[in-house]
Amino acid sequence: GELGGGPTSAAGGVAAPGMTTGGGGGGAPTGNESVSLGTATQTHEVRMPMLLSTFKPATGCTNASDFIVRCFVARLRSGITVVKHGRSRWCKSRLRVLHVHSDGRSLSWKPALGEPSSGKRPPKLDLTTCREVRHAWSPDPDNPMFTGTPILRQKCEAANAHKSFALIFPKRTVDITAVTADQCKVLMEGFSALCFRLHVAQKVAGGDGKSGSNGGGVGEGNNNN
């Protein structure tokens, strides 16, 4: 139930150096390791410990280099169209354009061209509070007999599970089906790298990894988007 594959490419078909898939190793980093990670990420070979205490990257995503993060943020700023599954059982799954704000950490989305607008202000989620990037086939810790998330299990068709994933926040999930399997891989690798770097930066700055964990971001409230 893991995404397979070898080297992948980042934005615009530019090969990302040092991108590998497969298990990472090591336990949760100490404070010193966090500081060294913060400085080492200028190279192209940055491996994410799979057991960072505040964040779990998607299975097989182990590269958090500046190159990966910069390419991904550039794509997010221009917008990436995906199918987003609404949280309410009455909400249909719709095409949405994911984008990141100028601060490089606030995620939002808007209806794709031709899609109806709900009239609601879209949520603005702080990626520093994202706890996990989880593929639809990865185990659900809250429901060990199942994979993915409750929303993915309810709304994602089995034929699309291979290209679906979720961003796990303290009080909500953002459940996504990519247009293609390749896009899903790029998104999972990108969000894993970006969120990991944001968590490391928070530790280096002296944070405890809990700041801003007020439910996953500003303005999410009871919006079912």
Side-chain angles (χ1 to χ4, degrees):
E2 297 178 7
L3 282 185
T8 187
S9 59
V14 179
M19 173 65 74
T20 62
T21 58
T30 64
N32 289 338
E33 287 171 341
S34 295
V35 173
S36 65
L37 275 169
T39 55
T41 46
Q42 295 171 16
T43 72
H44 289 310
E45 296 285 342
V46 181
R47 293 291 175 262
M48 289 185 273
M50 302 307 284
L51 294 175
L52 188 63
S53 62
T54 55
F55 175 70
K56 182 181 178 182
T59 301
C61 296
T62 60
N63 188 320
S65 69
D66 281 349
F67 182 86
I68 298 295
V69 174
R70 280 199 304 265
C71 285
F72 184 62
V73 169
R75 288 189 68 169
L76 266 181
R77 282 183 173 156
S78 62
I80 301 175
T81 301
V82 298
V83 175
K84 188 187 160 298
H85 304 289
R87 292 191 292 160
S88 164
R89 62 180 298 182
W90 313 114
C91 264
K92 291 184 178 180
S93 301
R94 300 279 194 185
L95 282 173
R96 293 289 182 261
V97 180
L98 300 178
H99 62 94
V100 70
H101 292 258
S102 57
D103 60 6
R105 58 186 267 180
S106 299
L107 178 72
S108 195
W109 52 83
K110 60 186 177 183
L113 192 63
E115 287 281 337
S117 176
S118 67
K120 296 178 181 177
R121 185 177 180 181
K124 185 177 177 182
L125 303 183
D126 186 350
L127 289 172
T128 64
T129 67
C130 180
R131 292 177 172 176
E132 182 184 353
V133 179
R134 184 188 304 163
H135 187 264
W137 285 340
S138 293
D140 181 352
D142 295 328
N143 296 279
M145 299 294 292
F146 298 96
T147 61
T149 67
I151 293 174
L152 284 177
R153 293 194 292 271
Q154 179 186 1
K155 298 197 170 185
C156 176
E157 296 180 11
N160 292 326
H162 69 288
K163 57 179 182 178
S164 301
F165 71 99
L167 303 176
I168 313 298
F169 290 90
K171 292 185 178 180
R172 70 164 292 167
T173 59
V174 178
D175 300 86
I176 292 165
T177 293
V179 177
T180 65
D182 283 344
Q183 186 199 46
C184 180
K185 193 172 180 66
V186 169
L187 285 167
M188 289 200 308
E189 288 168 344
F191 276 119
S192 291
L194 176 57
C195 293
F196 174 81
R197 291 288 294 274
L198 288 170
H199 279 265
V200 169
Q202 199 170 56
K203 285 179 177 291
V204 171
D208 59 3
K210 296 179 181 178
S211 61
S213 57
N214 59 350
V218 178
E220 59 176 329
N222 294 318
N223 194 332
N224 286 321
N225 286 333

